[in-house]
Amino acid sequence: MAALAAAMSDASRMKILCALMDGKAWTATELSVVAEVAPSTTSSHLSRLLKANLVICLSQGRHRYFRLYSKNVAVLLEKMMGITFQVSSPSRSKVPQELLQARTCYDHLAGEIAVQLYDSLLKNNWINSDGKGVTKQGQEKFLQLGINIDEKTRRKKCCPCLDWSERKFHVGGHLGALLLSFFESNNWIERVPGYREVVITSKGKKELHRHFNINV
């Protein structure tokens, strides 16, 4: 635990880890811009993170890409954000409203909209009361939307993930990842390149209200 904490105990390395929370792979050059340090310094930081199993390196031809080591690392970072973020007017005012409204939490959706979505799924009995499973009715409804839940997945089919800015749950697990992918592929949302921020499109606003009674 001490070794892990030591690997994370640098502001630039934390900027790198937080950038990778968008679930995508980044180049060292891109991460150096985010961390606001020289490329050589970024390489040193990435080496430290690699040794601590916080990130992995993917090689494709001459290019090298970095991403978080696993979903467990993303969960750890999200919980750390929740601990360090105090829900009060002054602290919330420091966070861009767009980020509070909708953002990625590694491979699923977070923010105000995601919390409303979780509440809607509970209210309409699409997921179990504890948020840890999908109901038979929910499976049928998701299938009608075009979301096919893999019964053989090794991930939790559905799980409540505590939202660090709202202090309420949003949808995580296999279902959370499917929903984010579905929203993006159907143009309900658009990701802001290089950031965790997610924009709800005009189509998305209509569809979210139509299917989940969410007002954006």
Side-chain angles (χ1 to χ4, degrees):
M1 290 173 67
L4 181 64
M8 302 174 77
S9 63
D10 180 272
S12 296
R13 288 198 287 273
M14 287 305 300
K15 287 180 181 179
I16 289 172
L17 291 172
C18 287
L20 295 176
M21 279 289 287
D22 68 351
K24 297 184 178 181
W26 292 52
T27 65
T29 301
E30 292 169 333
L31 291 170
S32 69
V33 175
V34 171
E36 300 178 296
V37 294
S40 58
T41 305
T42 301
S43 295
S44 177
H45 285 317
L46 287 169
S47 178
R48 184 72 181 274
L49 295 172
L50 282 165
K51 288 181 180 178
N53 287 334
L54 288 167
V55 302
I56 58 173
C57 179
L58 307 171
S59 297
Q60 188 170 4
R62 295 179 299 170
H63 302 286
R64 299 175 73 210
Y65 298 90
F66 298 86
R67 65 183 305 168
L68 293 183
Y69 185 83
S70 69
K71 295 178 179 66
N72 288 334
V73 176
V75 170
L76 172 63
L77 291 170
E78 192 74 11
K79 288 184 177 179
M80 289 177 68
M81 292 174 190
I83 292 171
T84 57
F85 183 81
Q86 300 299 317
V87 180
S88 63
S89 296
S91 60
R92 286 182 68 87
S93 65
K94 296 178 183 178
V95 183
Q97 180 57 41
E98 294 81 2
L99 198 63
L100 292 175
Q101 183 183 61
R103 62 181 181 275
T104 54
C105 177
Y106 193 59
D107 65 353
H108 56 272
L109 194 65
E112 295 172 356
I113 300 302
V115 168
Q116 290 183 49
L117 175 61
Y118 180 86
D119 290 343
S120 174
L121 297 180
L122 274 179
K123 182 178 179 180
N124 291 289
N125 194 37
W126 289 32
I127 59 177
N128 295 335
S129 58
D130 59 3
K132 296 181 179 180
V134 181
T135 65
K136 184 177 180 181
Q137 177 181 325
Q139 288 180 323
E140 294 174 352
K141 293 291 185 179
F142 286 125
L143 197 57
Q144 289 173 15
L145 274 176
I147 300 174
N148 188 14
I149 298 172
D150 184 3
E151 294 295 324
K152 297 181 180 180
T153 180
R154 293 184 177 181
R155 293 186 68 180
K156 294 179 180 178
K157 287 185 183 178
C158 176
C159 67
C161 183
L162 187 62
D163 196 284
W164 62 259
S165 62
E166 298 301 305
R167 297 299 175 94
K168 296 179 180 179
F169 292 123
H170 60 243
V171 184
H174 178 55
L175 177 60
L178 287 177
L179 286 168
L180 177 61
S181 178
F182 174 82
F183 293 160
E184 187 172 18
S185 62
N186 285 275
N187 195 35
W188 291 21
I189 63 171
E190 292 178 354
R191 296 201 195 194
V192 178
Y195 297 91
R196 294 177 65 189
E197 179 186 332
V198 168
V199 176
I200 311 297
T201 65
S202 297
K203 177 183 178 182
K205 292 177 181 178
K206 294 178 182 177
E207 297 297 335
L208 284 170
H209 183 267
R210 175 188 172 193
H211 296 287
F212 306 107
N213 198 31
I214 295 174
N215 292 313
V216 181

